[in-house]
Amino acid sequence: MLKKLSLTVAGLAAAFTMIAESKAQAEDSLYIPMTTYRTGPFAANGTANANGMWDYFEMLNQRDGGIGGAKLVVEECETGYNAQKGVECYESTKGKGALVYNPNSTGITLQLIAKAPIDKIPVLSMGYGLSAAAIGETFPWTFNYPASYWSQTSSILNYIESQGGLKGKKIGFIYLDVGYGREPIPLLEELAPKLGFELALYPVGVKEMQAQSAQWLNVRKDRPDWMVMWGWGAMNPTAIKEAVKIRFPMDKFIGNWWSASHVDLIPVGESAKGYLGSNFTAPGTSYPMIQDIIKHVIDNPNASTQTEKENVGHVLYNRAVFNGVLVAEGIRAAQAHFGKPGINAEEMRWGLENVDLSDARLKEIGLEGFTAPIKGSCADHENGGSIFMHQWNGTDFDKVTDLIPPMTDIVRPMLETAAAKYIEDKPDWQKQTCN
Amino acid sequence: MFYREAGQYKTSYAKDLQAFPIKQDKIGMFIWGILAVVVAVIGIPGLGYDFAMKAIIIPTLIFTITALGLNILVGFAGQISLGTGAFMGVGAYACLKLTTFFPDVNILIHFVLSGFVAAVIGMFFGLPSLRIKGFYLVVATLGAQFFLEWAFGRIPWLYNFADSGAIEVPTRTLFGVPITGASADVTWQYFIVLFFLAGMTWIASNLIRGRIGRSWMMIRDMDIAAELIGVRPLWTKLSAFAVSSFYCGVSGALMVFIWLGAAEVESFDINHSFLYLFMVIIGGLGSITGSFMGAAFIWIFPILLKEVGKSFGYNATLMENISLVAIGVMIVIILIKEPHGLARLWQISKQKLRLWPFPH
C-alpha cells in the first residue's frame, strides 16, 4: 500500500517538474496558441482549419526562420468545438505570452471577447464571431476581418438581388442552432420588411445535424425561392444531400463561407452540381505562397505537419492559411512600428489594427488575386470586406462572380446599435476613441 | 500505527454524535483547511496560478456541489435523474434574470435564490417519481432535460435578448471587489466557491444524518416498507428532488457566473448530465466523501493527463483522444474492482491503515 502510494507521489512530482520545465521558453520568440478541434462532431472542418494555419506558420519558420528574426512558437490546444474546453485552453496558454487568439469557433469567441480587454490579448475571429465586434471604438481588442457575418449576409442578399430581385421572394434560412448559426438572424429579420422578402427559419440542432429530414420536409412544404445556409461540420453535406433529395434547385442554394468547402461537397459529389457558396479566399494551389508551403512543409521531411497533400488548396485550408497571413502581417506591422522582433500582446493589437494588405503586398507575399485587400483602422475592425460566389461543378469550385460589396450603409448602423447594446449593462467596459 | 482510535473515549452523547469522532480525522480536516488556504495563495505548483484556479480548482469545487446534489437524489433517495445539466441551467438562467432585475442586491443572495428557483422546477419534474421508478423515471427526467434545453435556446427573455443567444455575465462586486465578469479577482472567486461548498456540505451531512435523510434512505431501500412505518412517499420524494435541484441550481449559477463568464445552451446539455452521473457513480453512491472524490477524479484526471502528455511533447489531439479512452477505461476498471466507488476504496484503505503495519 505504502509502496504504491509513494510511487504515485513520485510519479506526480516528476510530472509537475516536467510541466514546469516546459514553461521555460527561448527569448525573442512569438508565441501563438491555436485552439483547434481535430476531434468531436466538427473534426472534419476543424482539421482543415488547423492544418492550414499550422502549415503556414511552419513554412515561415522553415523558410524565413520566423518573422523578422523571431521564431514562431505555435501550440495547439484541442477544444472539440466546446466552449468550456476553449476557455480552459485560453487559461492554460495566456500566461505564456500569447500574442493573439484565433478561437476558430464563435462560441469560444463570445467567451473571450469579454476577457480580451482585461488580459490585454487581442482576439482575431477571422470571418466569424460576434458581428458587432467590427465596431473598433467599442471593441478595441476584437477583430473580425475581412467581414462580419452581417456584412456577409447583406452581400449574399445583394447577390440574390442581382439574380432576379428580392422583392416578393421567399428566402429560407437553414442554420446550425448555436450562437454561430443564430448570428445573422437579427439582420435578416430587420432587412426582410425593408427589402420586401419573406423569411423562413429552419433551425438544426447539433444533435440532429445528420437527421434533417424534418426541416427539409418543411422546406418542401414552404417552397422558398432561395435557401441560405449557415452550417458547419456534418450539417453541411447532410443538408445538401437532403436538398438534392427534395429536388431543390442547387443554383438557388447558397452556403455561407463555412458551408461551402471541399469537405462538405466531396461527399455529395456530382449531384450537388450548381451549389453556390460565398467565399473571401480563393481555393487552389497555383499561388506562389501555397507552392512555398508545399515545398517547405508538405514535401519537407524535417517539417512538422499533419496535412495530406491532396487537401492543400482546399477552401478551408486556404482560408486558414489566410488567417495565418493576417496574424503574420499584424506581427510585421507591430515589429516595424515598435522596432523590435519580440513584441507583446498589446503591441500585437496595434499591429492588427494597422494591418495593410494592399494588392501590392499580396503580390509580394505570393497571393496575388487571392483575396480582396485589407486595410485595418481604429474604427473599423472588419474592413467591410467583399465576398465572391463560387459554384460547385461536381468535383471542384469555380469562381462565378466578382467581388460583391456588402450593404455598408444599412449594416454599419445596425452593428453600431448592436455594439452599444452589448456594453449597455457593462459600465466599466473599455472603449477607445478614434479620430 | 498512525490511524488508530484506541484510547479515544467518548464520554458524552454529543461526542458520540459528532461528524468526525476520530482524532485523526479531525487532524485530517484541519490539514485540508490549511491546504485550502495555501492553494489560494500559491495555486498548484508547476501550473500557472490562473490556469490552476480557473481550469482545475474552481470547476472541481463547483462540480462537487453538483455531485453532492445529485448524490442526495440518486445515492440517498434512490431516484435516478438525467436532468442534472438542465437543473443547473435553471439556476444559471434564474441568476441572470434575478441580477438583471435587482442589480443592487448582492450576487451571493442571488446565487442562493436561484437555487430555490431550481428547487421549484426540480420538484415539478420530480412529480412523476411518485408513480414510476427506475428506468421509467430516467426517461421522465430525460424529458425535463430536453424540455429545459429547448426553453434555454428558444425563449429569448431568458438570455436577455442577447443577439448571440448566450448568457453574458455582468460584473458584480462584493466589498468593492469584482467577483463576476471578466475583471473578477480569481482568489476571491475561489473563496466564494469554497464558502458555498463548505456550507452546503455541512447542510447536506446534517440533513442526511437527521430524520429527513433517514426517510430518504428508507424510501430508497424499500418504499413499501417505508410507507407502512409512516414515511410519506410524496413528501419524501419531492423533498429529495427539491434539495437536489437546489444544489444543482446553486452550482449552475456559480458555474456560469464565477467560472465560465458566458454560457450557451451547450453548457447544460445531456452530455453534462451524464458527466455528473459518472461523478456520483465513480465517487460512490450514497456518500458525501464520494461526491468530492468523484467530481475531482472526473474533472482533474483528463486535464492532468493532457498536461503531462504535453510536457512529453505528444500532440494535443492525440492526448485528447487518449484522455477520452483513459477515462472510459478507468470508469470500467473502478466499477469492476469496486462497484461502490472511490469512497468505498477510501473506507477500505482506512480499515487497512487501522491495522497497519501489523495486519494480524
Side-chain angles (χ1 to χ4, degrees), chain A residues 382-405:
Chain A
E382 68 159 329
N383 206 240
S386 304
I387 58 163
F388 62 84
M389 288 286 167
H390 60 186
Q391 195 163 27
W392 182 250
N393 65 15
T395 49
D396 208 346
F397 284 102
D398 301 321
K399 193 172 164 183
V400 291
T401 68
D402 285 330
L403 291 175
I404 308 168

Side-chain angles (χ1 to χ4, degrees), chain B residues 151-307:
Chain B
F152 298 151
R154 284 284 183 285
I155 305 176
W157 177 81
L158 284 176
Y159 48 82
N160 283 349
F161 304 97
D163 287 335
S164 53
I167 299 180
E168 306 278 355
V169 172
T171 303
R172 294 286 180 263
T173 55
L174 181 71
F175 308 126
V177 184
I179 53 164
T180 67
S183 54
D185 184 284
V186 182
T187 313
W188 276 80
Q189 290 186 316
Y190 163 74
F191 277 116
I192 286 162
V193 175
L194 191 68
F195 166 76
F196 271 95
L197 176 60
M200 291 174 88
T201 310
W202 179 72
I203 293 173
S205 63
N206 280 302
L207 272 180
I208 284 157
R209 281 147 51 95
R211 186 181 58 84
I212 299 171
R214 280 160 208 274
S215 65
W216 287 339
M217 285 182 260
M218 282 150 123
I219 286 286
R220 172 192 69 189
D221 292 339
M222 195 187 239
D223 51 353
I224 294 175
E227 205 175 339
L228 281 174
I229 50 174
V231 174
R232 284 155 61 197
L234 169 85
W235 195 90
T236 313
K237 284 181 178 176
L238 284 192
S239 67
F241 266 97
V243 173
S244 161
S245 306
F246 175 82
Y247 275 64
C248 294
V250 173
S251 69
L254 289 172
M255 175 172 98
V256 171
F257 276 71
I258 300 276
W259 177 44
L260 288 175
E264 284 187 82
V265 187
E266 62 167 17
S267 304
F268 314 111
D269 65 3
I270 179 84
N271 293 335
H272 285 85
S273 296
F274 277 117
L275 193 74
Y276 306 134
L277 203 58
F278 290 156
M279 288 178 183
V280 171
I281 294 173
I282 291 292
L285 286 168
S287 156
I288 299 238
T289 336
S291 308
F292 280 76
M293 292 177 173
F297 177 77
I298 295 273
W299 188 253
I300 299 176
F301 178 71
I303 296 181
L304 279 189
L305 200 63
K306 271 186 267 179
E307 285 296 315

Side-chain angles (χ1 to χ4, degrees), chain A residues 130-195:
Chain A
L130 186 73
S131 296
I135 307 300
E137 286 104 333
T138 314
F139 297 94
W141 292 91
T142 315
F143 299 84
N144 52 5
Y145 300 128
S148 64
Y149 280 139
W150 289 7
S151 296
Q152 179 184 198
T153 313
S154 69
S155 291
I156 291 176
L157 292 177
N158 266 337
Y159 174 76
I160 296 176
E161 178 73 36
S162 72
Q163 300 290 312
L166 277 164
K167 213 161 198 74
K169 294 282 165 63
K170 184 184 248 182
I171 296 185
F173 181 68
I174 185 158
Y175 60 100
L176 186 64
D177 198 7
V178 296
Y180 150 64
R182 285 192 289 255
E183 189 61 33
I185 295 176
L187 182 91
L188 285 168
E189 280 173 345
E190 173 96 10
L191 288 184
K194 270 189 195 157
L195 303 176

Side-chain angles (χ1 to χ4, degrees), chain A residues 255-306:
Chain A
N256 78 341
W257 56 52
W258 300 117
S259 316
S261 63
H262 289 81
V263 278
D264 306 322
L265 271 298
I266 288 172
V268 197
E270 195 65 29
S271 52
K273 207 168 164 174
Y275 178 77
L276 289 160
S278 67
N279 203 348
F280 58 86
T281 49
T285 54
S286 59
Y287 300 94
M289 170 176 290
I290 307 289
Q291 286 300 324
D292 270 0
I293 292 180
I294 294 178
K295 186 176 145 204
H296 292 284
V297 179
I298 312 289
D299 291 341
N300 178 358
N302 299 324
S304 133
T305 178
Q306 301 184 48

Side-chain angles (χ1 to χ4, degrees), chain A residues 1-2 15-16 18-20 23 38-39 75-78 81-85 88 91-92 94 107 110-111 114-115 118 150 177-179 182-183 186 203 207 306 418 421-422 425-426 428, chain B residues 44-48 50-51 54-55 149 153-154 161 163-165 168 170-171 182-183 255 259-260 262-264 266-267 270 272 299 303 306-308 310-312 315-317 320-321 349:
Chain A
M1 187 70 212
L2 191 73
F16 278 130
M18 264 169 296
I19 296 166
K23 289 274 165 60
R38 295 173 187 271
T39 63
E75 187 185 345
E76 280 195 21
C77 187
E78 177 63 31
Y81 201 68
N82 176 319
Q84 283 183 13
K85 282 198 184 145
E88 195 185 300
E91 297 294 346
S92 74
K94 75 173 184 194
L110 293 175
Q111 303 259 4
K115 294 179 195 282
I118 310 290
W150 289 7
D177 198 7
V178 296
R182 285 192 289 255
E183 189 61 33
K207 287 186 207 72
Q306 301 184 48
K421 193 179 146 203
Y422 182 91
D425 53 351
K426 301 178 181 70
D428 315 325
Chain B
I44 299 178
L47 297 173
D50 272 16
F51 173 65
K54 292 230 83 158
E149 249 185 74
R154 284 284 183 285
F161 304 97
D163 287 335
S164 53
E168 306 278 355
T171 303
S183 54
M255 175 172 98
W259 177 44
L260 288 175
E264 284 187 82
E266 62 167 17
S267 304
I270 179 84
H272 285 85
W299 188 253
I303 296 181
K306 271 186 267 179
E307 285 296 315
V308 170
K310 224 190 275 173
S311 66
F312 281 110
N315 81 44
T317 320
E320 180 72 26
N321 286 324
S349 44

Side-chain angles (χ1 to χ4, degrees), chain A residues 5-32:
Chain A
L5 198 74
S6 51
L7 270 178
T8 324
V9 171
L12 274 177
F16 278 130
T17 344
M18 264 169 296
I19 296 166
E21 274 168 11
S22 71
K23 289 274 165 60
Q25 270 174 16
E27 266 178 62
D28 265 1
S29 61
L30 302 161
Y31 176 66
I32 301 169

